[in-house]
Amino acid sequence: MFYGVELKTRLMLGTAQYPSPALLREAIAASGAEVITLSLRREGTGGAAFREIIKRSGCRILPNTAGCHTAREAVTTARMARELFGTDWIKLEVIGHADTLQPDPFALIEAARILCAEGFSVFPYTTENLIVGEKLIEAGCQVLMPWGAPIGSGQGLRNLEGLRAMRAHFPDVPLVIDAGIGAPSQATQAMELGFDAVLLNTAVAKATDPVGMARAFAQAVEAGRLARSSGLMPQRDMAQASTPIFGMAELA
């Protein structure tokens, strides 16, 4: 449940970097995603074909403030996105480091506070830092989107213990892994940890077969969620035989 909206699927898909509009359209359909992200920069360069794909997808649009480096820039971009796309949903990105694209926590919290006060439903791109998460919740965010790894890196979940701690610390807050997912197995792992959804772009858009990869991620997310809800077996330090000793033949 995200800001009162219940989704049937737990994979969110980005719309940048696809080889062609046709492959983007097919990948969205294959993924089963109900939420797709896009930026104002993409809207400005995609042309009529791109806009038609977005319109016909039937998906809920989650505009983002990609490329913003200050709170002021992000807030202005969010306001423009609301006017252009007709939605209060916004994926809030405020980049603080040019190489890792790690979010600036101070500017992120500042922008989140302003946008939440203006009625936006803010999806903040953040790290697994618990204090930053608390401040974002205090600012009015009802969802947190921690990174798995730097954007576009494909490294998966680099800080498993930090992400586990975040899930435990915010048991009732929807958490979405955003950025760094490069393989379906990594998406499954995120869902097995108890995260509510996964948002990715590059792993599908840059695949040799984006449509097949979108389908693979859809199945991976579903598998991870089902595994989590079914009850994963705990890890043990020692082996434990699956066949009982009782009843075995005794040889003289």
Side-chain angles (χ1 to χ4, degrees):
M1 183 78 72
F2 300 99
Y3 290 101
V5 176
E6 187 171 356
L7 303 175
K8 296 179 181 178
T9 60
R10 297 175 181 272
L11 176 62
M12 302 179 181
L13 198 64
T15 56
Q17 306 183 74
Y18 285 82
S20 70
L23 282 174
L24 170 59
R25 181 182 64 250
E26 293 177 30
I28 292 174
S31 73
E34 294 177 85
V35 175
I36 54 177
T37 66
L38 70 161
S39 69
L40 264 67
R41 288 179 173 84
R42 176 63 174 164
E43 167 64 19
T45 60
F50 175 74
R51 290 191 291 272
E52 187 64 19
I53 289 171
I54 299 305
K55 180 180 178 180
R56 290 181 176 273
S57 71
C59 296
R60 178 178 288 270
I61 297 174
L62 177 60
N64 65 53
T65 62
C68 294
H69 292 265
T70 67
R72 180 179 180 181
E73 186 180 9
V75 169
T76 299
T77 302
R79 290 167 177 164
M80 293 170 61
R82 178 161 64 179
E83 182 175 346
L84 181 61
F85 299 114
T87 178
D88 290 329
W89 280 26
I90 191 73
K91 178 189 170 187
L92 180 61
E93 298 182 28
V94 187
I95 301 303
H97 193 277
D99 292 331
T100 64
L101 301 183
Q102 180 172 329
D104 179 335
F106 307 104
L108 181 67
I109 294 167
E110 178 186 352
R113 186 175 293 112
I114 294 170
L115 293 175
C116 287
E118 293 183 4
F120 282 88
S121 298
V122 178
F123 292 70
Y125 164 60
T126 182
T127 66
E128 65 275 22
N129 187 291
L130 300 183
I131 304 303
V132 175
E134 288 179 347
K135 295 297 183 182
L136 289 168
I137 296 297
E138 291 174 6
C141 298
Q142 298 179 23
V143 178
L144 298 175
M145 302 182 76
W147 65 351
I151 295 171
S153 69
Q155 296 177 16
L157 309 183
R158 294 203 308 181
N159 185 0
L160 284 175
E161 291 308 313
L163 292 171
R164 285 195 183 98
M166 192 172 201
R167 178 69 285 177
H169 192 74
F170 299 104
D172 301 319
V173 176
L175 300 179
V176 180
I177 291 292
D178 176 20
I181 296 295
S185 58
Q186 297 165 357
T188 299
Q189 185 180 34
M191 301 306 293
E192 289 177 348
L193 286 177
F195 284 80
D196 297 281
V198 171
L199 193 160
L200 55 93
N201 188 158
T202 308
V204 171
K206 291 296 187 179
T208 303
D209 177 6
V211 178
M213 188 62 75
R215 189 174 294 113
F217 269 106
Q219 295 174 6
V221 168
E222 180 62 26
R225 181 66 181 182
L226 181 58
R228 172 77 177 191
S229 62
S230 298
L232 294 162
M233 69 171 290
Q235 293 185 0
R236 301 185 177 94
D237 292 331
M238 300 292 291
Q240 184 178 51
S242 57
T243 302
I245 299 299
F246 178 77
M248 292 183 65
E250 295 185 11
L251 302 179

